[in-house]
Amino acid sequence: MAIVPDNLKSAVTKSHRYEPTLNQTFADFAEHYGTTVLPARVYRPKDKALVEGAVKIVYSRIYAAIRNQQFFSLEELNMAIREQHEALNDRKFSHRPYSRRELFVELEEKLLNPLPLEKYEIKEVCWVTVMKNGHVCLQKDKHYYSVPYNFIGKKVKLIWSSKQVTAYYNYRCIATHERLKSPYRYTTDEQHLCSKHKFVTQWNPDYFINWAANISPAVELVIKDIMEKKPYSEQAYRSCMGVLSLAKKAGDKRLSDACNRALEYGICNYKMVQNIFEKGLDQIEEQSIQTQLPSHDNIRGKHYYN
């Protein structure tokens, strides 16, 4: 069984007499349903004579029969078309003792394969580089997915649908995950992580902890806290890099003061340290809380109730 379309852009990306380039989504659709696509040649209407004949039949037997009727919903229109379509399939051919339905049941029905259990879903594609923490980012959702550690630094192809995200390298599937749309979160397969295979990369816990310790003990404590809050250390690398890179903007002293303030608040993450920088809270000394009310004529004292 084959699909024979025209050379419209939604079916054929680039027409060619011998090997036309198919639209990737259309080709994926045909593969999902176990069929093939054979585009008609340019200026060769006879390549799709059956389709052209079917259009003529639809106009003369279905459209013509309901053209004067009035419908108030799409459901009503579809019902009328379905009734005319059923009548067309049951009508005998001219000068032949059988109908389209009888011909289909006798010759074609037994040759058809069952449909796939799952409906086809339109997929989207993009190319991304595997980060040093062994994850790739699906920018549409801003969500991170793990891939095997040996692909760090390489460009991979991401194909995703509404339910699934799949990573390919050189036409080989290297990772598959359920699609989640929560931004700035990680979906991680433990077997993908370099730390689980004793594979050392530039980014590792010791690298960030030593970097932080060279700045101040407060920065080191913040980095350790960020590491401990993540189930896998690789998920914390970007946050650690964000915190440590703030030293380039304002210097080690301000970063140390900001980390001290974050430790006082008990909230250690990149967003907190960044907010302390932006609002200048690292440069403001804590003010003592005033425990007594100021004297004022309109304020009733304890003697009022005697």
Side-chain angles (χ1 to χ4, degrees):
M1 187 175 183
I3 302 173
V4 184
D6 275 322
N7 284 265
L8 68 166
K9 284 294 182 182
S10 58
V12 181
T13 304
K14 185 177 181 181
S15 60
H16 192 275
R17 181 179 179 88
Y18 302 108
E19 290 188 359
T21 303
L22 300 178
N23 177 289
Q24 187 172 1
T25 301
F26 190 33
D28 189 44
F29 167 84
E31 182 179 359
H32 179 81
Y33 286 107
T35 185
T36 186
V37 180
L38 299 175
R41 293 172 295 173
V42 180
Y43 302 118
R44 295 292 189 275
K46 290 185 179 181
D47 284 0
K48 51 185 177 58
L50 289 176
V51 176
E52 299 292 349
V55 172
K56 180 180 179 181
I57 292 171
V58 167
Y59 267 102
S60 61
R61 298 297 177 86
I62 297 179
Y63 173 74
I66 63 174
R67 68 186 186 279
N68 295 323
Q69 298 182 35
Q70 189 174 8
F71 303 98
F72 298 95
S73 69
L74 183 61
E75 289 74 16
E76 291 182 22
L77 175 60
N78 287 335
M79 182 64 70
I81 292 174
R82 190 175 294 110
E83 291 174 357
Q84 295 299 325
H85 183 250
E86 293 293 329
L88 173 63
N89 287 334
D90 291 330
R91 185 180 293 116
K92 303 289 184 182
F93 285 107
S94 300
H95 311 296
R96 297 181 186 178
Y98 49 82
S99 65
R100 289 178 174 82
R101 189 184 305 279
E102 291 170 341
L103 189 63
F104 167 76
V105 171
E106 181 181 355
L107 299 179
E108 298 180 5
E109 186 177 26
K110 59 187 176 183
L111 299 177
L112 296 178
N113 294 324
L115 291 173
L117 297 177
E118 296 183 359
K119 292 183 178 180
Y120 173 74
E121 287 190 298
I122 294 179
K123 299 178 178 63
E124 297 184 65
V125 180
C126 69
W127 289 87
V128 295
T129 301
V130 182
M131 298 181 293
K132 292 183 179 180
N133 62 359
H135 290 74
V136 292
C137 180
L138 180 56
Q139 286 293 338
K140 187 169 186 177
D141 303 328
K142 292 181 171 56
H143 192 92
Y144 298 92
Y145 299 91
S146 66
V147 298
Y149 65 91
N150 47 311
F151 294 98
I152 291 175
K154 299 184 182 298
K155 274 193 171 295
V156 299
K157 183 179 183 180
L158 280 189
I159 300 178
W160 73 92
S161 65
S162 62
K163 298 179 181 178
Q164 193 176 69
V165 177
T166 307
Y168 290 87
Y169 182 76
N170 287 344
Y171 304 100
R172 179 168 63 92
C173 177
I174 60 174
T176 300
H177 296 281
E178 178 186 0
R179 183 181 176 187
L180 299 176
K181 298 183 180 181
S182 50
Y184 307 111
R185 298 297 180 91
Y186 286 81
T187 297
T188 304
D189 184 342
E190 184 176 352
Q191 293 302 314
H192 291 165
L193 303 180
C194 58
S195 59
K196 300 299 177 182
H197 297 269
K198 298 181 180 179
F199 180 85
V200 179
T201 64
Q202 182 183 0
W203 283 14
N204 55 65
D206 291 339
Y207 171 77
F208 291 105
I209 292 172
N210 292 335
W211 183 358
N214 290 330
I215 298 175
S216 78
V219 180
E220 182 182 4
L221 288 175
V222 169
I223 293 300
K224 286 182 177 179
D225 190 80
I226 292 174
M227 291 277 190
E228 291 171 358
K229 287 179 179 177
K230 296 292 185 180
Y232 304 107
S233 59
E234 283 86 349
Q235 296 178 354
Y237 291 168
R238 285 177 60 84
S239 296
C240 293
M241 179 59 74
V243 171
L244 295 171
S245 64
L246 292 173
K248 297 179 180 179
K249 299 179 180 179
D252 291 351
K253 185 179 184 308
R254 282 200 65 188
L255 176 59
S256 180
D257 292 342
C259 287
N260 272 317
R261 186 58 55 89
L263 290 169
E264 291 175 4
Y265 295 158
I267 305 174
C268 297
N269 56 48
Y270 170 72
K271 284 292 184 183
M272 174 56 70
V273 178
Q274 184 187 40
N275 287 337
I276 291 173
F277 264 113
E278 292 177 350
K279 297 178 181 179
L281 299 179
D282 59 297
Q283 298 175 319
I284 300 176
E285 294 183 2
E286 285 284 355
Q287 297 180 356
S288 59
I289 300 175
Q290 191 171 11
T291 58
Q292 295 182 351
L293 291 174
S295 177
H296 196 281
D297 295 339
N298 292 333
I299 297 177
R300 294 174 289 184
K302 61 182 179 179
H303 301 291
Y304 178 85
Y305 297 97
N306 291 338

